[in-house]
């Protein structure tokens, strides 16, 4: 799905597919360098991180493994509740592994704070975070993101894996969802 296909539902286009791809290549180059000879375990957070994981992992020149977690933050709609429940845990034991959490967006940072704490208790050799997008509120909660695609405004956004009520995940690019769609 292209930005033009849902242009009326978006109040602003933030990034085109090309802009996101270019940034993912830059992040992959950094990860290549930092994880040379380390074969990181990339842990994607379903469902939103599917696009980031696909693009980032294929842009790497080093070996990596992938695993997935599914979590639900209680509640639905456009506000983050901060209460997290694990719906699907990892298939892989991570003790001694170099873990890179791959997330779509950091809003309040509460989801990642919980997840990073949970994974850290399993004794990985290292744990870092990569996120495609970050909203300003995350800065207040001091979430330590080593690899960040873009800082964005605090509006509700869709596309590149991010949904509203299940839709727009397959949208290439990222846009601010027009309030008329959800109000
Ligand atoms: P946090 O715990 O507040 O950082 O929320 C993170 C999760 O909320 C993300 O993984 C998304 O699933 C969801 N989320 C936060 N902001 C947005 C948004 O603007 N669009 C779509 N989903 C979002």
């Amino acid at each position: 799905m292209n930005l033009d296909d849902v242009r009326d539902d978006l109040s602003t286009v933030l990034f085109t597919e090309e802009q996101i791809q270019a940034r993912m290549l830059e992040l992959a180059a950094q990860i290549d360098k930092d994880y040379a000879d380390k074969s990181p375990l990339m842990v994607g957070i379903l469902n939103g991180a599917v696009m980031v994981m696909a693009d980032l992992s294929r842009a790497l020149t080093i070996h990596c493994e992938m695993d997935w977690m599914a979590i639900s933050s209680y509640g639905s709609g456009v506000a983050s509740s901060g209460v997290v429940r694990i719906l699907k845990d990892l298939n892989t034991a991570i003790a001694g592994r170099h873990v890179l959490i791959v997330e779509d967006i950091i809003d309040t940072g509460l989801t990642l704070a919980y997840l990073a704490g949970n994974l850290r208790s399993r004794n990985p050799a290292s744990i870092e975070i990569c996120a495609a997008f970050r909203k300003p509120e995350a800065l207040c909660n001091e979430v330590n993101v080593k690899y960040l695609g873009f800082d964005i405004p605090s509006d509700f956004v869709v596309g590149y894996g991010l949904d509203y009520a299940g839709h727009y995940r397959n949208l290439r690019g990222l846009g601010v969802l027009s309030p008329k769609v959800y109000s």
Side-chain angles (χ1 to χ4, degrees), residues 30-121:
Q30 280 181 44
I31 294 169
D32 269 345
K33 214 164 93 201
D34 295 350
Y35 288 87
D37 305 320
K38 284 188 181 157
S39 185
L41 175 69
M42 299 174 76
V43 171
I45 311 306
L46 295 169
N47 295 318
V50 167
M51 307 299 173
V52 199
M53 180 72 112
D55 287 340
L56 202 59
S57 61
R58 286 179 300 168
L60 294 177
T61 62
I62 58 167
H63 284 294
C64 68
E65 288 171 50
M66 289 176 231
D67 202 345
W68 301 90
M69 285 181 86
I71 55 176
S72 111
S73 54
Y74 289 93
S76 58
V78 296
S80 180
S81 73
V83 185
V84 175
R85 189 161 54 110
I86 294 182
L87 302 177
K88 182 218 167 287
D89 208 336
L90 296 175
N91 296 329
T92 320
I94 64 169
R97 297 296 310 268
H98 293 284
V99 172
L100 181 57
I101 301 175
V102 178
E103 177 63 303
D104 48 8
I105 190 167
I106 309 176
D107 181 357
T108 61
L110 294 170
T111 305
L112 270 180
Y114 171 85
L115 264 183
N118 180 294
L119 295 183
R120 214 168 269 124
S121 71

Side-chain angles (χ1 to χ4, degrees), residues 7 9-14 152-153 155-158 174-179 182:
R7 192 62 191 83
D9 294 351
L10 307 175
S11 46
T12 322
V13 169
L14 291 178
I152 62 169
D155 308 302
F156 191 82
V157 294
V158 291
L174 188 85
V176 175
L177 189 65
S178 173
Y182 54 82

